[in-house]
Amino acid sequence: MLLVRCPWCGDRDEAEFRYGGQADVDYPADPHQLDDATWGEYLFVRANPSGSFDERWVHTAGCRRWFSVVRDTATNEMRPDIPRRRESR
Amino acid sequence: MVADGNTPAPPERLWRNPEPKRNYDVVIVGAGGHGLATAYYLARNHGITDIAVVERGWLAGGNMARNTTIIRSNYLLDASAALYDHALRLWEELHEELDYEFHFSQRGVLNLAHTEQEVRDARRRAFANELNGVDAEWVTPDEISEICPILNTSNLRYPVLGATYQRRAGIAKHDLVAWGLARKCDEMGVDFIQNREVTGFVTDGDRVIGVRTDNGDIGAGRVGLAAAGRTTLLTDTLGIRLPLQSHPLQAMATEILEPVHPCVVMSNHVHVYTSQAHKGELVLGAGIDTHNGYTQRGSVHVIENQLAAAVELFPVFARAHLLRTWAGTVDVTPDASPIIGPTPYENLFVNCGWGTGGFKATPGAGWVFAHTLATGEPHPLNEPYGMERFTSGALIDEHGAAAVAH
Ligand SMILES: Cc1cc2nc3c(=O)[nH]c(=O)nc-3n(C[C@H](O)[C@H](O)[C@H](O)COP(=O)(O)OP(=O)(O)OC[C@H]3O[C@@H](n4cnc5c(N)ncnc54)[C@H](O)[C@@H]3O)c2cc1C
Ligand SMILES: [Zn+2]
């Protein structure tokens, strides 16, 4: 059971959340410019590291907000530091 | 070896533990069921025996040792029905061929339907199976009660409205399958190199000419990856981007009980699947944990949900004591079908993405992957399963028939 830190509600049981996969996968700026391979990659391919992973969670049974965390996929350790990209949002 | 219903005592030695040679015709990464079956059919069907199977842990200690051993071939789409039924036909002869009893038990599988929409989908799948020559029947709740008397069909939040029934489906003793394959491969000259992790590849331009390991390089004419959940860690080193996510998948077993459970039961909707092992444990599984990870450890709420479902469906299970839970690391693709075929690197081939359902495919996967490695070309059965389908969009979407959430 993971203990997930919602930035608004604090540490909560994983069962309150839904998982959203890799963070910072932006919709292509100009989809018409993409060839099939790049489009396929955007749709289907995500990073799958053993180690540090920036990922999305949504606090479905709480404040219902989305947020990003950094989790080590080999140990499940979650770092409280806020991923880089959130600051620019 | 005698098929007397008891697990035979393992012989003194089933395979050697040789020092690897400098070079092999074929190096297979991963001594799971698929790596073993691939080596077996390379030798048997193609006469290639200069093979090393390199394994980071112990032989067949990955998902092969952790799965719930359900074997069936009632998949919806033509490409899947052909591949999984080919595997099922091979299972039916494999133990004789290996001269090794692994208790393949065709006790039948019920896939339950709990909603009107599930009934429609399940019947459609049964009809599609019949058209593809795969045995399948639609059975009513009364018939289900005859097949599996301990199953509660009516006093439920989601009553059982019917099920598909595949009589040829069943279970096999997974460890014995691995040992039987390994013994035969060893007899034919295949080297198993255990406790050695492949960390990358030796390349010459865009050709792969060997593998790097944590204890030196091994040259290879061709390399086949059968590394299940850890495949992308290797393909990433070459910049090959595969559509795979690795997830924990859990299972559990109770204490040993008298025979009470005559078949296999799977429910996609309330999400549990069950059978009784030869030794007597009730074996239970469900879907993946949603987050990805390599911990070989899942979350407790997944276990709670499936136990709640199991006890509703099987009131007698409430008295059983849970003894063990464990998890594997399974590699899941976006269309719930495997990837088997060449890569952008010459001489490098992948067999991966079997997710939660690759044990049933073991001999079939080995057969087609051996063909691919021996000839450099996919076998007709794995032709649709190349990685290019994620560019062309010709997906093999088997989520519904996968029977577990992933
Ligand atoms: C809990 C659970 C229940 C399941 N239930 C079923 C079921 O009922 N029916 C079914 O059909 N399927 C089931 N599966 C899925 C099935 O186990 C897998 O699809 C199948 O085992 C995958 O093929 P494999 O045997 O090659 O994988 P594995 O046995 O995992 O083999 C891969 C091997 O590669 C090795 N390896 C990885 N990386 C490296 C490296 N870099 N160097 C060297 N070696 C490496 C690993 O150590 C491992 O031994 C289940 C899986 C789990 C975890
Ligand atoms: Zn919150």
Side-chain angles (χ1 to χ4, degrees), chain B residues 29-35 54-57 61-64 66-70 196-198 226-228 230 234 249-251 273 326 328 330 354-360:
Chain B
V29 183
H34 289 202
V54 185
E55 166 58 51
R56 72 191 281 272
N63 295 309
M64 183 64 169
R66 294 157 199 267
N67 73 80
T68 50
T69 78
I70 299 168
R196 184 167 307 210
E197 178 155 9
V198 173
R230 305 182 71 86
L234 288 169
L249 177 66
Q250 308 183 62
Y273 51 88
W326 65 88
V330 298
W354 290 93
T356 60
F359 174 70
K360 65 177 70 66

Side-chain angles (χ1 to χ4, degrees), chain A residues 5-10 12 16-17 58-67:
Chain A
R5 179 164 299 174
C6 170
W8 294 281
C9 310
R12 295 302 181 92
E16 292 187 12
F17 298 85
V58 58
H59 196 178
T60 35
C63 66
R64 302 173 67 185
R65 287 198 261 191
W66 283 95
F67 57 94

Side-chain angles (χ1 to χ4, degrees), chain B residues 68-77 80-81 84 109-112 118 121-122 124-126 129 164 166 249 264-269 271-274 285-288 330-338 353-361 385 389 396-406:
Chain B
T68 50
T69 78
I70 299 168
I71 295 167
R72 61 190 181 88
S73 66
N74 54 353
Y75 281 63
L76 176 68
L77 304 172
S80 318
Y84 289 100
V109 62
L110 290 165
N111 288 88
L112 307 182
E118 262 200 316
D121 290 345
R124 177 184 175 215
R125 178 147 53 85
N129 292 160
T164 62
Q166 185 179 22
L249 177 66
V264 180
V265 171
M266 313 186 74
S267 167
N268 217 348
H269 194 76
H271 224 142
V272 67
Y273 51 88
T274 69
I288 55 170
V330 298
D331 49 343
V332 173
T333 60
D335 64 354
S337 291
W354 290 93
T356 60
F359 174 70
K360 65 177 70 66
Y385 288 91
R389 75 178 186 271
I396 308 168
D397 189 350
E398 279 289 354
H399 276 279
V404 287
H406 71 223

Side-chain angles (χ1 to χ4, degrees), chain B residues 2-342:
Chain B
V2 280
D4 62 0
N6 295 316
T7 301
E12 291 258 299
R13 163 162 289 216
L14 291 164
W15 56 85
R16 298 159 294 128
N17 281 302
E19 277 301 306
K21 299 190 292 183
R22 289 165 64 98
N23 270 292
Y24 289 90
D25 287 346
V26 178
V27 168
I28 296 168
V29 183
H34 289 202
L36 293 166
T38 303
Y40 173 63
Y41 288 114
L42 270 172
R44 175 193 181 275
N45 294 356
H46 303 279
I48 299 173
T49 56
D50 186 34
I51 303 171
V53 185
V54 185
E55 166 58 51
R56 72 191 281 272
W58 63 93
L59 186 139
N63 295 309
M64 183 64 169
R66 294 157 199 267
N67 73 80
T68 50
T69 78
I70 299 168
I71 295 167
R72 61 190 181 88
S73 66
N74 54 353
Y75 281 63
L76 176 68
L77 304 172
D78 293 354
S80 318
L83 183 59
Y84 289 100
D85 206 53
H86 176 64
L88 182 46
R89 283 198 297 271
L90 292 173
W91 279 115
E92 286 168 337
E93 60 199 38
L94 188 62
H95 52 105
E96 290 212 349
E97 217 178 278
L98 296 178
D99 186 24
Y100 199 77
E101 180 54 47
F102 53 70
H103 302 311
F104 177 48
S105 158
Q106 292 175 289
R107 56 182 66 184
V109 62
L110 290 165
N111 288 88
L112 307 182
H114 302 267
T115 68
E116 287 299 331
Q117 183 59 43
E118 262 200 316
V119 170
R120 290 186 199 104
D121 290 345
R123 296 190 60 164
R124 177 184 175 215
R125 178 147 53 85
F127 296 145
N129 292 160
E130 283 176 26
L131 289 173
N132 273 320
V134 176
D135 74 304
E137 291 160 55
W138 171 255
V139 288
T140 62
D142 284 347
E143 292 168 309
I144 293 172
S145 298
E146 280 182 22
I147 298 164
C148 189
I150 57 170
L151 185 67
N152 170 27
T153 55
S154 54
N155 298 321
L156 291 166
R157 179 171 175 198
Y158 297 107
V160 176
L161 304 179
T164 62
Y165 185 41
Q166 185 179 22
R167 290 174 194 265
R168 285 164 65 231
I171 57 174
K173 188 86 182 63
H174 48 351
D175 296 329
L176 297 178
V177 173
W179 299 342
L181 282 166
R183 184 183 71 151
K184 205 55 154 194
C185 287
D186 179 85
E187 272 173 26
M188 294 189 287
V190 175
D191 284 357
F192 294 112
I193 317 295
Q194 301 185 77
N195 296 309
R196 184 167 307 210
E197 178 155 9
V198 173
T199 54
F201 302 94
V202 189
T203 54
D204 174 11
D206 54 9
R207 287 173 53 202
V208 163
I209 55 170
V211 295
R212 296 204 183 290
T213 81
D214 53 8
N215 194 8
D217 298 349
I218 303 174
R222 286 194 169 134
V223 175
L225 299 186
R230 305 182 71 86
T231 304
T232 56
L233 304 179
L234 288 169
T235 48
D236 282 354
T237 66
L238 293 174
I240 300 170
R241 300 198 65 212
L242 290 175
L244 292 174
Q245 295 282 289
S246 298
H247 290 266
L249 177 66
Q250 308 183 62
M252 62 191 75
T254 67
E255 65 201 306
I256 292 169
L257 303 167
E258 289 291 314
V260 287
H261 190 356
C263 59
V264 180
V265 171
M266 313 186 74
S267 167
N268 217 348
H269 194 76
V270 299
H271 224 142
V272 67
Y273 51 88
T274 69
S275 68
Q276 188 166 16
H278 295 84
K279 218 165 50 169
E281 306 106 317
L282 298 170
V283 180
L284 283 75
I288 55 170
D289 279 57
T290 56
H291 58 270
N292 55 3
Y294 294 86
T295 51
Q296 289 193 328
R297 183 185 199 117
S299 294
V300 177
H301 65 93
V302 177
I303 296 176
E304 280 180 340
N305 289 343
Q306 82 195 70
L307 284 179
V311 171
E312 283 234 324
L313 285 174
F314 300 91
V316 297
F317 284 15
R319 289 171 171 269
H321 295 103
L322 196 63
L323 282 198
R324 297 186 288 129
T325 73
W326 65 88
T329 304
V330 298
D331 49 343
V332 173
T333 60
D335 64 354
S337 291
I339 303 171
I340 323 162

Side-chain angles (χ1 to χ4, degrees), chain A residues 33-71:
Chain A
Q33 292 304 311
L34 300 191
D35 59 15
D36 287 352
T38 322
W39 182 247
E41 248 192 56
Y42 164 69
L43 286 178
F44 299 123
V45 182
R46 297 292 179 268
N48 190 30
S50 172
S52 242
F53 190 44
D54 290 7
E55 62 187 13
R56 304 281 284 163
W57 291 83
V58 58
H59 196 178
T60 35
C63 66
R64 302 173 67 185
R65 287 198 261 191
W66 283 95
F67 57 94
S68 303
V69 301
V70 183
R71 182 172 57 96

